[in-house]
Amino acid sequence: MKKNRKFHIQTFGCQMNERDSETIAGLLSKMGYSVTAERKEADVAVINTCSVREHADKRFFGTLGQLKKIKEARPDFVVCVCGCMMQQRHITDVIKTKYPWVDVIFGTHNIHELPVLLEEGEKEKENRTLFKKNGIMERGKGLISVWENGEDIVEDLPSSRLYRHKAFVNIIYGCNNFCTYCIVPYTRGRERSRKPADILNEVKKLAADGVKEITLLGQNVNSYKGITGSADVSHGETNNGKKHTDFADLIYMLQGTEGIERIRFMTSHPKDLSDKLIDAYKNCSKLCSAIHLPMQSGSNSILERMNRKYTKEQYMDLVAKLRIASPGICITTDIIVGFPGETEQDFQDTLDVIKKVCFDSAFTFIYSVRKGTPAEKYEDQIPEDIKHERFRRLVAAVNECSSIKNAAYEGRKEMVLVDGPGKKDPGKLAGRTEGYKLVDFEGPLSLQGEFVYVDITKSNTFSLTGELDISHV
Ligand code: 5AD
Ligand code: SF4
């Protein structure tokens, strides 16, 4: 291999993809590549794709167009595409026919194969032809390896983490819920929980490496079901001689890890949010007073058609219980507008819950038809103009709540874990409160990765502004 080879990764989508990209970066670093922030300087470019909405598909194909230009100028530039989109046959077929110059395609279940795929690609390079035919670049052979299903979880893969002081920790892969709009169960496969001992070992290693905050990741962390060996701490029941650790047990178990000061998780499905987990907010001081609890819609008939398995009333009961267990808890959500069959009254029900709950913030989405999902077949799709008009009202309602919630922080002193220079204003520091509110303030870069106290002086819709309390530094 040529010396000083560089890689660049572009990640679309959710935290699961971000975490996967850390593994991809770890694998490439182990192979001797170093990271570059400039794609045009890279020898290997990786695009980790998302397929949750059509918008992400379009951005991916736009990115491929840019990569083609680099490839034309530099034929030994290696292009790898991976992630959720690659788990769909109709997408890989398009890539094979329209973008045959893509070198390596792999999926969400076989990231660990990347070194082999790249090496195979290198070996074959001389045999490959790269030529232009009718204006379209073609190549003899690209490597495609996509596994339809996730098999055993591959442990101990290297990882190049984005931050030193905080880390994502996968606890469960896949999803069994089949919400009718969602592509994830088809791209990420069925639920597979990691063993509690493997998670604990990883968290201990992270803590030893200086990590103070962990975010436990899964499409639905609440259905975590870890099989516990005899050496592990177990709180679960015996079933066929095997013990099960549920999600609340896992939090209690991780709470004991020295060095870890904050525990977060995402995402939780409301139908599986147990009283035991709600109690953990009372009993685990390290569990941050924050929850991301996707509501999707406030209309019972739409929730039923979405196959969400809870009602608006049950959702609001959960919010009430959470607020009793953890007063002041920051509650964020996901909301889809324009799902097939949504009437103005259904939409009003959604606005009603938003007002009543007053979310700290919400990710808002216009329903996007996903090939292969049940909702694709629903005939009562909502016209685009109505979807967009409702979306505008949805965003206004959500932003109003965010402003109200954030305004309550003015005059408070908040403990903030400093992430580093702010994205919007790199001259300032940015960090997160326990409730995951973004705070910017003036301070030295040496505070990166430290907990500090910040006096909140101003609130904005999406963030807080403050002054560092130097008496605590
Ligand atoms: N259209 C719009 N939004 C969607 N989401 C998932 N699938 C779709 C879709 N087809 C949203 C849901 C989910 C979030 C990650 O993306 O709100 O919680
Ligand atoms: Fe998709 Fe529903 Fe699974 Fe979330 S719970 S990943 S929305 S199918």
Side-chain angles (χ1 to χ4, degrees), residues 68-84:
K68 187 179 176 191
K69 290 199 183 99
I70 307 179
K71 187 96 183 169
E72 278 171 339
R74 242 183 335 118
D76 62 350
F77 176 63
V78 177
V79 177
C80 304
V81 294
C82 61
C84 289

Side-chain angles (χ1 to χ4, degrees), residues 386-434:
I386 295 181
K387 282 194 210 172
H388 281 91
E389 190 273 329
R390 285 184 191 157
F391 184 69
R392 276 193 293 278
R393 283 188 282 157
L394 175 72
V395 171
V398 162
N399 288 352
E400 197 183 325
C401 293
S402 301
S403 299
I404 294 171
K405 284 284 177 186
N406 285 352
Y409 282 75
E410 286 182 11
R412 281 200 213 166
K413 194 184 288 297
E414 284 287 314
M415 189 191 259
V416 170
L417 179 56
V418 184
D419 284 332
K423 287 207 174 100
K424 265 215 286 209
D425 183 355
K428 281 185 164 187
L429 292 178
R432 297 276 177 178
T433 66
E434 181 184 343

